[in-house]
Amino acid sequence: LSGAELTEQLCRWADCILLEAEGRAAMIDAGNQGDAEEILALLSAKGISSLDFLLLTHLDKDHIGGADALIENVPIGTIYAPDYDKGNKQYDQYIAALTAAGIEPVHPTEPVDLALGQAQITLLPGEQAAYEESNDYSIFLELLYGQTSFLFAGDAEETRLAEYLASPDLRRYDVLKVPHHGRACAQSEAFFTSVSPQYAVITCDYTESAGAPHDEVAARLEELEIPVLRTDLSGVLTLHTDGRDVSVETERQAA
C-alpha cells in the first residue's frame, strides 16, 4: 500500500477506526466492550504490534469499551482523551487499566499536532471545561495526507458543532466521519454544508427503535450529492489514499 489506510471497524453503535500510514498505526476510539477480541485480532492480522496513539474522542461506552484490552495487550505511545468522569462500567475498567499500566493520558485543552508517518493529525478539543451532554466533549480529529483530508467528528452534538462552525479556519474535507452515528441536530445542515466531503461515513446499526441514522441526515447529504457509506450496510470500511485520491473497499459489496 502506498499512502495511508483507514479501517472503520464497527460492532453495533461502536466507533473504532484504525489509521495506518507508512508502517505507523494509531486508533481512534475502541468500540464496545464486546469488540475487544475482534479489535485485537484485527491488529494481529495486520501485523500491528504497537500503536503510536490511542485517540479517544469521548468516554461513552461504545467508544472506550475495548480501551482496557488495548492498554493491557498492546504497547501504546500516548493516549489522548477529554478530561471528565463518565461513571460507567467501561469507564471504570479503562481507568483501572490505565492505573495498572502506570499510564497518564493527555487531556488536550488546545489543538495538538501529531505525526503518523507523513500523515498529519490535529486534535481539536472542545472549548468548554464542562458540557451538559457527554457527546459534546468529543475531540474532533483532522487528518491530512498529501492533498487529501479527513475529519472525524466523534459523537458531537449541537453545542460542540456550533463551536466548530464558529471557527475562522473552516475547510472542506474529502472524508467526514459523520457525528453521532447519523443522528440529526440543529447544526447538522450547516455542518454538512461547511465540510462538504467527497464521502460521508456513518458508523451505525440501524434499527426501528434506535431510528438512526435519521432521515433528515440522509436527505441533507443526498441534497449535497455526497455519497454515504454506512457500516450497517457495508460492514467494515477501508479507505485508501495515495495523497491525491481516496478509494473505498467494503466488506459486503463493492463501492
Side-chain angles (χ1 to χ4, degrees):
L1 175 67
S2 173
E5 177 177 317
L6 299 94
T7 301
E8 297 265 7
Q9 179 77 19
L10 170 79
C11 288
R12 297 188 61 78
W13 291 104
D15 275 21
C16 182
I17 300 161
L18 176 64
L19 309 178
E20 297 180 79
E22 297 153 351
R24 314 303 299 182
M27 187 165 282
I28 302 174
D29 292 330
N32 277 310
Q33 185 174 15
D35 302 335
E37 184 176 343
E38 187 172 358
I39 293 168
L40 293 174
L42 172 68
L43 294 178
S44 177
K46 286 180 166 287
I48 297 171
S49 58
S50 65
L51 296 172
D52 287 35
F53 312 109
L54 175 58
L55 310 169
L56 301 175
T57 60
H58 63 301
L59 305 178
D60 281 7
K61 64 182 181 180
D62 58 331
H63 292 254
I64 67 165
D68 59 332
L70 281 171
I71 293 166
E72 291 164 359
N73 291 279
V74 180
I76 299 170
T78 310
I79 298 175
Y80 291 87
D83 186 12
Y84 68 103
D85 185 342
K86 178 59 181 177
N88 58 31
K89 180 178 72 172
Q90 290 77 14
Y91 174 81
D92 292 342
Q93 292 170 334
Y94 160 64
I95 295 298
L98 289 174
T99 301
I103 295 174
E104 289 284 344
V106 176
H107 303 302
T109 58
E110 296 181 350
V112 176
D113 292 324
L114 306 172
L116 190 71
Q118 294 299 308
Q120 300 299 311
I121 300 171
T122 300
L123 311 186
L124 302 169
E127 299 174 6
Q128 301 180 29
Y131 293 89
E132 289 187 15
E133 298 292 337
S134 64
N135 287 323
D136 282 325
Y137 284 93
S138 289
I139 298 173
F140 281 56
L141 296 104
E142 175 189 79
L143 184 146
L144 305 179
Y145 187 82
Q147 300 171 24
T148 59
S149 57
F150 301 74
L151 183 65
F152 304 90
D155 277 1
E157 295 187 347
E158 185 171 349
T159 299
R160 186 73 184 91
L161 291 177
E163 283 182 357
Y164 174 83
L165 289 168
S167 169
D169 301 319
L170 295 177
R171 59 172 295 160
R172 294 185 175 184
Y173 293 88
D174 294 296
V175 178
L176 169 67
K177 203 295 290 190
V178 173
H180 204 192
H181 314 289
R183 290 185 171 93
C185 73
Q187 302 295 333
S188 295
E189 183 172 345
F191 179 67
F192 295 141
T193 301
S194 173
V195 176
S196 190
Q198 178 183 352
Y199 295 106
V201 175
I202 301 178
T203 55
C204 62
D205 182 14
Y206 181 82
T207 63
E208 291 295 333
S209 59
H214 288 169
D215 291 341
E216 305 97 297
V217 167
R220 183 54 184 158
L221 292 171
E222 183 176 356
E223 288 173 5
L224 293 170
E225 299 183 342
I226 298 169
V228 176
L229 303 167
R230 288 173 44 167
T231 54
D232 62 335
L233 302 179
S234 299
V236 175
L237 300 171
T238 303
L239 289 80
H240 303 272
T241 177
D242 59 3
R244 294 181 301 274
D245 300 303
V246 177
S247 61
V248 180
E249 294 178 11
T250 73
E251 183 180 36
R252 298 177 188 155
Q253 60 191 48

